[in-house]
Amino acid sequence: LPPPEVLAVERLLAEEGGVTGGWDMRDHDRFLRYRTQFKGQRQVYCEKTAHDLVDHDIASVQGHDRWFDRYQALLQRKREAI
């Protein structure tokens, strides 16, 4: 049986839309591009993403950002467990 950290990542991916958190790959890529460009400026990259993506308002982008933080933390714990 895999370690709990591995199972947690697999569960998150299965329940919440895979590596893009349920977002379209292009939308997720745009989000990541702004997140990287404006690292540490959460409000700025969330607003820019919401402005560019007609299917996502600021609340949707902020929720995706929280999901991505959770996903990254689980990936880190998975790497440490393996």
Side-chain angles (χ1 to χ4, degrees), residues 23 42-43 46 57-67:
W23 278 31
R42 186 176 306 253
Q43 190 64 31
C46 285
D57 62 11
I58 189 71
S60 171
V61 174
Q62 290 169 336
H64 191 66
D65 189 50
R66 286 188 299 275
W67 170 86

Side-chain angles (χ1 to χ4, degrees), residues 34-53:
Y34 282 133
R35 183 177 161 114
T36 301
Q37 182 179 358
F38 298 99
K39 185 175 181 135
Q41 301 175 62
R42 186 176 306 253
Q43 190 64 31
V44 173
Y45 67 75
C46 285
E47 286 176 1
K48 287 209 170 276
T49 304
H51 178 74
D52 274 8
L53 303 178

Side-chain angles (χ1 to χ4, degrees), residues 5 8-9 12 70-79:
E5 295 82 2
V9 171
L12 176 75
R70 220 170 50 248
Y71 174 60
Q72 291 295 303
L74 287 173
L75 282 179
Q76 181 61 35
R77 288 200 302 256
K78 176 183 172 183
R79 282 190 286 274

